[in-house]
Amino acid sequence: MQELTLRQQEILLWIRQYMADHGIPPTRLALCAAMGFRSPNAAESHLRALERKGAIELVQGVSRGIRLVEEPKETSGLPLIGKVAAGQPILAVAHIESYEPIAPELFRPVAHYLLRVQGESMRNAGILEGDLIAVHHTLIAQNGQIVVARLEDEVTIKRFYRQGERVELHPDNPDYPVIEVNLKKRALHIEGVMVGLIRA
Amino acid sequence: MQELTLRQQEILLWIRQYMADHGIPPTRLALCAAMGFRSPNAAESHLRALERKGAIELVQGVSRGIRLVEEPKETSGLPLIGKVAAGQPILAVAHIESYEPIAPELFRPVAHYLLRVQGESMRNAGILEGDLIAVHHTLIAQNGQIVVARLEDEVTIKRFYRQGERVELHPDNPDYPVIEVNLKKRALHIEGVMVGLIRA
DNA sequence: CAAGTAACTGTAATTATATACAGTTACAAG
DNA sequence: CTTGTAACTGTATATAATTACAGTTACTTG
């Protein structure tokens, strides 16, 4: 959205207020009356300007055909992370598929985001492909916890075991191999620990 | 709000959908087109009826002057059902352990309540002891669906298969037996179907 | 200083929309 | 059997609303 002039901001604000009050968008004439315009064309051209700048959308030929273009707001809920591209931070906005209406406090410790599970490597822990796991963002994990780990730009969900410099990432599925990591040789980052699961 | 006729419910539903889609209430003519009316007065009188029954409000002289009257909605969240005592309806208030902050619409079809899982009989379906399953309350189930069933006062979660009078309730765990029911001999009630799962 | 743009006035025409009035059909209840 | 109501058809009309066209004024920018 382009920057609005002061007057345009004022008008956009009024439209928002009108819609909150009346449940429907205003007409050109209502805008005239509110702003003190004597010409409906003043309203019209303001609306056109707002549309040009991406603040609203106009549906032509339709009475009250004004749509607010929503700002990407943070709803109370948890961001759902889909596929994570290699080498990018997990919480990059680009990865957010949607916000799910789930209270973070449902989980203990609180969940920070949801991650869609790919593959069946944690099948025996009751984690299936397509499930959403709730993740608490933390850098430290206890032995035996299920963690979201990043191993050389690859994000994976495994059970975490550490002894000194040696870490083992265990799948909960005999068909998958245990991953052994020597922290001195390969970079391993804990992104968070699993605190819950949603299957929708 | 008074009770609506089937047709009125249908129309109210359509209005809701229209508003969700377009961001503005519909006109009488739009309602006509959608419902197949040939007369705008059909739309008008339906709207009047809906207003009389308190489902909507009409603002006279104003285009698209239709306001939805909000239902006093329940505590947003889903009731969590713990142990169900034998012989009692599953949704008895006495069984409600708590309300969990989860939107029913997270699941499709919508969830009506959560049920705590006891036992490991559905282990291979990724359903573990202590998990909460989201249940859509319905009396009909399709073959293969995971259902909440009541068999002689006992509530159980199993996969449902039916052929005529014979029903099989399959666990997803080879350690548990398949339960066979002849509907003529034993009473079996479907309480609902599983639509999701929460592990907190 | 010319050109572009924001922010308007003023008028007019067309179309979108609400809404009244006069009926019809079917069904349920007293 | 009448009365009431839901669910419409069909016509008509006033008014609500959009939108085009022709201007004006002030300010900013190359």
Side-chain angles (χ1 to χ4, degrees), chain A residues 20-167:
Chain A
D21 290 349
H22 297 81
I24 49 176
T27 64
R28 271 69 167 167
L29 281 177
L31 181 54
C32 280
M35 292 293 149
F37 302 154
R38 297 208 199 157
S39 166
N41 189 44
E44 181 72 24
S45 38
H46 268 297
L47 291 177
R48 293 277 170 88
L50 284 172
E51 186 181 37
R52 233 184 7 258
K53 296 192 175 177
I56 62 173
E57 269 177 44
L58 294 176
V59 187
Q60 67 157 273
V62 165
S63 74
R64 301 172 190 272
I66 301 171
R67 307 181 79 161
L68 294 178
V69 175
E70 284 300 309
E71 293 285 303
K73 57 182 170 184
E74 286 210 10
T75 3
S76 62
L78 287 173
L80 166 58
I81 312 292
K83 289 193 177 178
V84 180
Q88 292 194 356
I90 202 164
L91 266 175
V93 178
H95 299 142
I96 297 178
E97 269 184 21
S98 61
Y99 276 84
E100 299 296 326
I102 299 157
E105 301 76 26
L106 178 60
F107 307 98
R108 301 229 160 222
V110 295
H112 293 118
Y113 57 92
L114 303 172
L115 189 62
R116 194 179 294 283
V117 174
Q118 291 168 34
E120 295 278 343
S121 73
M122 296 302 283
R123 198 174 204 305
N124 288 350
I127 301 172
L128 310 183
E129 170 129 35
D131 287 355
L132 309 179
I133 62 167
V135 181
H136 175 79
H137 185 69
T138 175
L139 300 178
I140 22 169
Q142 307 293 318
N143 274 353
Q145 274 187 324
I146 295 173
V147 302
V148 176
R150 182 188 293 279
L151 187 60
E152 283 156 6
D153 291 352
E154 198 78 25
V155 171
T156 182
I157 300 163
K158 293 285 182 300
R159 216 175 270 279
F160 177 84
Y161 295 96
R162 174 177 176 181
Q163 271 199 320
E165 299 293 330
R166 259 190 70 232
V167 169

Side-chain angles (χ1 to χ4, degrees), chain A residues 168-190:
Chain A
E168 290 187 356
L169 297 175
H170 284 238
D172 264 26
N173 186 337
D175 300 341
Y176 285 72
V178 173
I179 301 172
E180 294 187 24
V181 182
N182 186 321
L183 293 182
K184 283 192 177 164
K185 293 179 185 166
R186 293 166 79 188
L188 177 77
H189 295 282
I190 303 299

Side-chain angles (χ1 to χ4, degrees), chain B residues 22-197:
Chain B
H22 297 81
I24 49 175
T27 63
R28 271 67 167 168
L29 281 177
L31 181 54
C32 280
M35 292 293 149
F37 302 154
R38 299 209 198 154
S39 166
N41 189 44
E44 181 70 24
S45 37
H46 267 298
L47 292 177
R48 293 278 168 87
L50 285 173
E51 186 181 36
R52 226 177 21 251
K53 295 192 175 178
I56 62 173
E57 271 176 45
L58 295 175
V59 187
Q60 68 158 275
V62 166
S63 75
R64 300 171 191 272
I66 299 170
R67 308 182 77 161
L68 293 178
V69 174
E70 284 300 311
E71 290 285 300
K73 53 185 169 186
E74 318 149 25
T75 347
S76 60
L78 287 173
L80 167 57
I81 312 290
K83 288 193 178 176
V84 180
Q88 291 195 356
I90 202 165
L91 267 174
V93 178
H95 299 143
I96 297 178
E97 269 185 21
S98 61
Y99 276 84
E100 297 296 326
I102 298 157
E105 300 77 25
L106 177 60
F107 307 98
R108 297 226 163 221
V110 296
H112 294 117
Y113 56 91
L114 303 172
L115 190 61
R116 192 178 295 283
V117 174
Q118 291 167 35
E120 294 279 341
S121 73
M122 295 301 285
R123 198 176 204 308
N124 288 349
I127 302 173
L128 311 184
E129 170 130 34
D131 286 357
L132 309 179
I133 64 165
V135 181
H136 176 78
H137 185 68
T138 175
L139 301 178
I140 22 170
Q142 308 291 320
N143 274 353
Q145 275 187 324
I146 295 174
V147 302
V148 177
R150 179 188 295 279
L151 187 61
E152 285 158 1
D153 292 352
E154 198 78 26
V155 172
T156 181
I157 300 163
K158 293 285 182 299
R159 217 174 267 280
F160 178 84
Y161 294 96
R162 174 178 176 179
Q163 270 198 321
E165 298 292 331
R166 260 190 69 233
V167 170
E168 290 187 356
L169 297 175
H170 285 236
D172 264 25
N173 187 335
D175 300 343
Y176 284 72
V178 173
I179 301 173
E180 293 187 24
V181 182
N182 186 319
L183 293 181
K184 282 192 177 165
K185 294 179 184 165
R186 294 166 80 188
L188 176 77
H189 295 283
I190 303 298
E191 294 275 359
V193 299
M194 168 172 161
V195 291
L197 180 142

